């Protein structure tokens, strides 16, 4: 089905809003209850406040990052930047669903969206190999463990689950070596930890096409993520122009 430019933009606007639950909105009562439960389960948070993950939205990244991601995927299409797309750290699937939606809106059938996740939450820190993660507690949050079945159901709810979506279940260190031979137009890293960020860069960077895009969700918000990015850049002696999307997310073009 050929969509006019205006209809395509309206479909993608609506998809973005739905993924961020911007239409119905998060219920304040539900958010307050979740925050209370989180404080009870993790008493050490009391002084620092609970994490405010959305109760219902299919993505936690917010409208600005969704809009920016859509723009980059559209650029890969308009500028003929070859390859597939991968998100490392999909949670409920929202950002990956958006990437699949952009392909659908443009009638693209020969590119895939890879969804890499443990689908069981974050790993415990491996302090021997990655001392930076030593104090990381994100593995303790049940809110971050979303099953593959749930993510598949979320894709299906938007009519976007098909053979252009590939699930890579397991820890990044085990699954990502298996896609090193693939070519990616865009990689989106959202695994929060030093280990998760470094594993993704180490395994995927060379598979990104020239002029392709690297997006790092947690760069500004989580110091271990930023440290992993710079350790990788330094190790590889890369010269990159890191650009902000908002207070946390950054991106650059591979050149
Ligand atoms: C912040 S959430 C991702 C948010 C998501 N991109 C969105 O649009 O809302 C982090 C995800 O990364 C996954 N994750 C983090 N480190 C991982 C690792 N080393 N291996 C596999 N999954 C990992 C977690 O299971 C979790 O689903």
């Amino acid at each position: 089905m050929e969509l006019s430019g205006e209809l395509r933009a309206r479909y993608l606007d609506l998809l973005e809003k739905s993924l961020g639950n911007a239409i119905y909105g998060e219920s304040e009562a539900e958010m307050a209850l979740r925050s209370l439960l989180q404080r009870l389960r993790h008493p050490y948070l009391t002084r620092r406040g609970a994490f405010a993950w959305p109760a219902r939205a299919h993505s936690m990244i917010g409208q600005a990052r969704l809009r920016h991601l859509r723009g980059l995927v559209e650029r890969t299409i308009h500028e003929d930047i070859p390859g597939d797309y991968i998100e490392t750290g999909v949670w409920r699937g929202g950002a990956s669903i958006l990437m699949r939606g952009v392909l659908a809106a443009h009638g693209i059938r020969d590119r895939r969206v890879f969804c890499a996740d443990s689908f069981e939450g974050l790993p415990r820190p491996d302090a021997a190999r990655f001392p930076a993660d030593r104090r990381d507690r994100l593995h303790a949050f049940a809110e971050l463990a979303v099953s593959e079945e749930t993510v598949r159901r979320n894709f299906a709810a938007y009519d976007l689950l098909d053979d252009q979506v590939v699930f890579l279940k397991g820890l990044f260190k085990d699954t990502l070596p298996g896609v090193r031979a693939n070519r990616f137009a865009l990689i989106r890293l959202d695994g929060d930890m030093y280990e998760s960020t470094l594993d993704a860069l180490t395994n995927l960077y060379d598979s990104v096409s020239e002029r392709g895009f690297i997006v790092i969700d947690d760069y500004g918000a989580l110091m271990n993520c930023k440290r992993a990015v710079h350790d990788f850049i330094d190790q590889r002696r890369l010269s990159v122009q890191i650009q902000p999307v908002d207070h946390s997310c950054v991106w650059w073009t591979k050149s």
Side-chain angles (χ1 to χ4, degrees), residues 104-137:
H106 287 268
I108 306 288
R109 300 192 177 279
D110 57 356
R111 301 195 197 221
R112 295 169 296 174
V113 174
F114 286 73
C115 303
D117 207 296
S118 65
F119 299 105
E120 295 174 354
L122 286 92
R124 285 180 176 277
D126 180 348
R129 286 182 60 224
F130 306 105
D133 282 334
R134 200 176 53 249
R135 292 173 194 278
D136 199 285
R137 299 279 303 154

Side-chain angles (χ1 to χ4, degrees), residues 53-54 57-62 66 87-96 116-123 138 143-146 168-175 188-193 195-197 199 217-218 222:
W53 292 302
H58 287 151
S59 173
M60 62 171 81
I61 69 174
L66 287 169
E87 185 174 43
T88 57
V90 303
W91 193 52
R92 295 177 185 155
S96 298
D117 207 296
S118 65
F119 299 105
E120 295 174 354
L122 286 92
L138 288 170
E143 294 90 333
L144 293 173
V146 180
L168 298 177
K169 180 174 163 54
L171 292 179
F172 301 155
K173 66 180 163 93
D174 301 322
T175 58
R188 180 170 205 286
L189 276 49
D190 197 356
D192 299 353
M193 298 170 72
E195 169 180 346
S196 307
T197 307
D199 279 342
D217 190 87
D218 307 301
L222 297 170

Side-chain angles (χ1 to χ4, degrees), residues 9-38:
R10 280 179 172 264
Y11 164 70
L12 290 173
D13 287 352
L14 195 54
L15 181 58
E16 272 173 31
K17 285 188 192 159
S18 308
L19 291 166
N21 195 15
I23 294 175
Y24 296 105
E26 300 291 320
S27 139
E28 279 183 25
E30 192 171 356
M31 289 299 286
L33 180 65
R34 280 173 169 255
S35 143
L36 178 67
L37 289 174
Q38 223 180 63

